[in-house]
Amino acid sequence: MTNNLKYFIGNWKMFGDFGSFKIIHKINQYIYKNKKFNKSKIVLCVPNTLLDFFNKKLKSQLVSLGAQNCHQQEGYGAFTGSVSALMLKKMGAKYIILGHSENRSEGESYEIIKRKITSALKQKLNVIFCIGENYKEKKNGKTFTILRKQIKGSLEKRFNKNKILLAYEPVWSIGTNMIPKTNELRNTIKFIKNDIKFFFNTNKCPKILYGGSVNPKNIRLFSSITEIDGFLIGGASQSSKKFIDIIKNYYK
Ligand code: PGA
């Protein structure tokens, strides 16, 4: 992973078909023509059904592809309907989202996420590890306690921190158009940075992203928070225009 880059990572969720390649194509062309954006790393995490097809079409282009989840078992196994990190790597994934709240809410434990991260790192995938408090936890002043628990519960000191990006995604902000107050967000990002540095016993902090209702309008609020190294963008990444406008407006 290269340093000093701002990350713009799309999370397509359960969206798209072969025809959706035009979205990636437009983003790719835009980045190509606007050299000033070479300080950004663009990743699109798409459904498994599209990885191989997009990967073949994208060969040696500027956008990288990622997956959105994997099974904790390494390699192959008797797990009907599941896909391992190895299989995703073979399909062209360079990144993988793990610990997303939409998967946690379906029963993914800290331990399972840890095993998923372990298997993804074995495949040399870059892991986008999602953490975040829900609304009730926020209201009860438990945000930092929860974030620390999630970090300690699923990371291991021996993990290669250079291959991990942390995505702070408050659950109450995902798909709701509600975003944290600037000051609150700055403090939370600082908290995560300090916690992670302490955890890995290092001065070199992994990249910390923000995710939750990022759009072309509110990106200017986020760009003032220099501690944020990039963004995990859900709904808005399903439109090339919105995704490009987010990047454009970030650098305005
Ligand atoms: P959103 O999703 O941008 O649609 O809120 C973010 C995410 O789930 O990663």
Side-chain angles (χ1 to χ4, degrees), residues 6 25 64 66 69 76 128 138 183 202 215:
K6 290 287 174 190
H25 181 64
S64 297
N69 200 0
Y76 303 127
I128 302 150
K138 175 184 162 58
N183 241 0
T202 177
N215 65 38

Side-chain angles (χ1 to χ4, degrees), residues 68-73 96-121 127-132 149-156 158-159 164:
Q68 303 170 14
N69 200 0
C70 68
H71 194 274
Q72 61 272 24
Q73 170 81 25
I96 187 163
I97 297 173
L98 292 173
H100 193 284
S101 63
E102 284 156 13
N103 300 127
R104 288 181 191 262
S105 70
E106 289 183 344
E108 203 179 52
S109 66
Y110 294 171
E111 186 56 35
I112 286 184
I113 297 169
K114 185 189 282 189
R115 289 181 57 198
K116 290 183 178 192
I117 297 176
T118 307
S119 69
L121 290 176
V127 171
I128 302 150
F129 171 48
C130 301
I131 56 173
K149 255 187 167 172
Q150 292 173 334
I151 289 170
K152 281 177 122 177
S154 299
L155 291 186
E156 288 217 1
R158 65 180 169 88
F159 284 169
I164 297 175

Side-chain angles (χ1 to χ4, degrees), residues 11 13 100 102 169 173-175 212-214 232-235:
N11 172 13
K13 311 195 182 197
H100 193 284
E102 284 156 13
E169 297 208 302
S173 172
I174 296 175
S213 294
V214 174
L232 185 55
I233 303 155

